[in-house]
Amino acid sequence: MSSTNPTRLEESMGPCEDDCPRSILDLLTPTENDHAQDWRRRCRARLERRSRKIEDGDRIRLETPLKFVDGHTGSEFIVEKRGRRLSFRDPETCQRYRITGFRDLAWQLVPVTKVHKTIFA
């Protein structure tokens, strides 16, 4: 087809992009096509990854370490939230970093033992 009438991409063609919104996925009818089912699984998995909750002060561990421009390589960080903006602090050096595409990365929360103050009455 010409550039004024481009080819229409269907899920049965095995698209590589997996960022379809949930509202569109919910409208799709059932299918037996393997490519379409794989694409739908990938889209839903991405939506689940992006919807994970994270709070200020949470400690996270990335599945694969990241190397930063300053030469630091790290996989464990403390989350700092300022409104909607996230920054990540290295627990050892206290250096702050920005991680582009963080919500799409594989990470997990690291359980932290919190010691509460003892109050005697």
Side-chain angles (χ1 to χ4, degrees):
M1 299 196 138
S2 70
S3 60
T4 57
N5 188 9
T7 304
R8 303 221 187 279
L9 182 64
E10 296 177 9
E11 63 179 347
S12 63
M13 296 175 181
C16 294
E17 296 296 323
D18 59 5
D19 59 351
C20 183
R22 188 179 314 272
S23 59
I24 300 297
L25 287 173
D26 292 342
L27 294 174
L28 298 176
T29 58
T31 182
E32 295 298 320
N33 184 289
D34 291 337
H35 288 295
Q37 289 176 349
D38 178 55
W39 177 75
R40 291 177 187 190
R41 269 193 298 276
R42 288 186 293 122
C43 288
R44 293 211 184 268
R46 182 176 183 271
L47 288 169
E48 288 301 315
R49 275 194 315 270
R50 292 187 63 80
S51 67
R52 293 179 290 178
K53 301 293 182 205
I54 192 163
E55 298 295 328
D56 186 46
D58 283 349
R59 192 178 193 119
I60 60 151
R61 182 177 299 123
L62 299 172
E63 191 172 288
T64 56
L66 295 178
K67 185 168 184 165
F68 295 92
V69 177
D70 67 354
H72 175 72
T73 301
S75 61
E76 199 163 305
F77 299 92
I78 297 171
V79 177
E80 293 184 346
K81 277 181 109 171
R82 302 290 180 259
R84 292 183 58 170
R85 175 170 279 175
L86 292 176
S87 64
F88 302 89
R89 185 169 40 88
D90 184 272
E92 296 172 10
T93 65
C94 295
Q95 183 69 30
R96 286 188 178 89
Y97 295 97
R98 286 183 20 173
I99 301 175
T100 305
F102 167 73
R103 298 253 183 225
D104 291 323
L105 296 176
W107 57 269
Q108 61 184 358
L109 285 175
V110 176
V112 178
T113 305
K114 295 185 180 182
V115 178
H116 298 283
K117 188 176 181 180
T118 304
I119 300 174
F120 296 99

